[in-house]
Amino acid sequence: MIHSRIEPVVDSQLPREQAGFRRGRSTADQVTLLCQDIEDSFQNNEKAGVVYLDLTAAYDTVWHRGLHLKLLRTIPDRHMVKFIMETLSNRSFILQTSSGQCSRLRRLKNGVPQGSVLSPMLFNVYIHDLPDTVSRKYGYADDLPIMLSRPTWKAMEEGLNEDMGTLVAYLRRWRLQLSVGKSVAAAYHLSTREARRELQVHVDNKCLEVQQAPKYLGVRLDRTLSFKQHLEEVKAKVTSRVALIRRLAGTTWEASSKTLRISTQALVFSAAEYCAPVWSRSLHARKVQRCSDVQDPCLHSSWTIRHISTVTLVCTAPPSRDMCVSKE
């Protein structure tokens, strides 16, 4: 009830670059935006540098006083804000080991409860005032990449280092912890001659790790956005799940067509079609298409099933009998 009441007020004040747990926004939107901006840099003969920031226990380190202040600035009803803060206070926990030993009761002074429907919205409010940067931000909850494209490596690195200094100062001010060891940097360009060139981005005089194909919201982005590595991983995942569906569709199992269709859509197509608008134009997309073309399990057991495309399988109506042959 609280979520439904404050959502219209809060959502109207959140920045566009923050898409986490917002109505009408998804992970595919943010990945698509990031990839589109990188491809635009390719068209402009520029290099794109991306820093993927990782926050340590982001939800558990939310400063209650800071959250209270930002809620008062966002929600005009102070009674509602007081009620929300009371739900976050007086929380405690006990640690119990497998042998039955228990620690003493400890009180939580910071953080928002994990699993609560309000927690993602409260975290969005807590970081909605991120400082302006030259780099563009693509936030989704506690995942925060920043991207900057420039004609030269030097200009790109200088801009990213300056923006990282601004963001690190903001995070420290509001008691959020940046994991320097898990934050990574990556460069995207079409120059094969500079394929081994590493992006130099520093935080507290420490150079961030450089990865050739970091993963953002479940999609692995390589240097040229060919998505070869990502689609190979998807192919392996889909292949194992297709094998499971084929076992369920065996003649001895006799599972109902409804059960098999739901299982296929939940296990196979959820993995095969995730962020498809991003990688569907890749030359390696055929790998996923081939391994996800499974035999349709939506027929009665008295019929042997021919090879049917994935499009037919997703349809709610079963395929026609002319696509099958009788066992007899």
Side-chain angles (χ1 to χ4, degrees), residues 35-314:
C35 292
Q36 183 61 54
D37 288 343
I38 294 176
E39 290 181 355
D40 290 343
S41 68
F42 294 166
Q43 297 294 328
N44 298 328
N45 294 324
E46 295 181 342
K47 304 171 181 62
V50 182
V51 179
Y52 299 89
L53 282 73
D54 184 272
L55 302 181
T56 303
Y59 280 38
D60 295 330
T61 56
V62 173
W63 183 30
H64 282 182
R65 288 189 177 182
L67 177 61
H68 194 180
L69 174 62
K70 295 187 179 185
L71 284 175
L72 289 173
R73 294 176 178 175
T74 307
I75 302 175
D77 189 349
R78 61 184 180 89
H79 298 289
M80 177 64 75
V81 173
K82 182 179 179 181
F83 181 78
I84 294 175
M85 295 306 302
E86 286 180 352
T87 62
L88 302 179
S89 60
N90 297 325
R91 295 187 299 124
S92 57
F93 71 96
I94 294 177
L95 178 63
Q96 183 175 1
T97 64
S98 58
S99 61
Q101 297 179 344
C102 298
S103 66
R104 65 182 179 87
L105 185 69
R106 293 182 179 272
R107 191 173 300 278
L108 293 172
K109 299 180 180 180
N110 296 314
V112 292
Q114 296 284 348
S116 172
V117 294
L118 278 179
S119 296
M121 180 180 295
L122 295 178
F123 186 79
N124 284 344
V125 172
Y126 193 65
I127 63 170
H128 82 284
D129 57 345
L130 284 169
D132 295 332
T133 57
V134 179
S135 305
R136 185 172 180 180
K137 296 184 284 289
Y138 307 84
Y140 194 93
D142 57 341
D143 291 315
L144 182 62
I146 59 173
M147 192 277 291
L148 181 65
S149 60
R150 288 291 185 268
T152 63
W153 287 90
K154 182 178 180 181
M156 180 174 58
E157 291 173 345
E158 289 178 352
L160 287 174
N161 280 293
E162 181 179 353
D163 290 341
M164 284 299 298
T166 303
L167 292 175
V168 169
Y170 169 87
L171 296 176
R172 287 176 178 169
R173 177 184 177 187
W174 296 104
R175 304 187 181 184
L176 292 173
Q177 302 175 8
L178 176 68
S179 177
V180 180
K182 293 183 178 181
S183 299
V184 299
Y188 299 92
H189 55 87
L190 300 178
S191 176
T192 308
R193 190 180 308 174
E194 298 177 305
R196 297 184 179 274
R197 174 75 155 81
E198 293 188 350
L199 194 63
Q200 301 294 322
V201 180
H202 298 83
V203 176
D204 296 336
N205 297 324
K206 296 181 180 179
C207 187
L208 295 182
E209 177 187 355
V210 177
Q211 291 187 3
Q212 297 300 322
K215 183 176 289 188
Y216 173 54
L217 297 179
V219 180
R220 195 169 294 280
L221 307 178
D222 57 280
R223 176 178 60 87
T224 60
L225 294 186
S226 67
F227 300 103
K228 180 180 179 180
Q229 297 182 31
H230 172 71
L231 292 173
E232 288 178 349
E233 294 178 0
V234 174
K235 176 185 176 181
K237 182 187 297 184
V238 171
T239 301
S240 62
R241 297 185 180 186
V242 166
L244 176 61
I245 294 297
R246 284 174 175 166
R247 288 182 178 272
L248 295 178
T251 56
T252 59
W253 180 256
E254 297 292 344
S256 65
S257 61
K258 180 179 180 181
T259 300
L260 292 174
R261 177 178 282 114
I262 294 176
S263 300
T264 305
Q265 291 177 343
L267 295 177
V268 179
F269 286 96
S270 61
E273 296 181 348
Y274 177 69
C275 283
V278 178
W279 50 260
S280 59
R281 294 178 298 169
S282 172
L283 296 176
H284 305 279
R286 298 179 180 179
K287 299 178 180 179
V288 178
Q289 177 66 26
R290 291 171 183 172
C291 67
S292 60
D293 283 346
V294 299
Q295 291 180 336
D296 193 305
C298 307
L299 296 176
H300 193 269
S301 59
S302 63
W303 294 87
T304 302
I305 307 155
R306 289 180 178 172
H307 188 72
I308 300 173
S309 66
T310 56
V311 177
T312 305
L313 184 59
V314 175

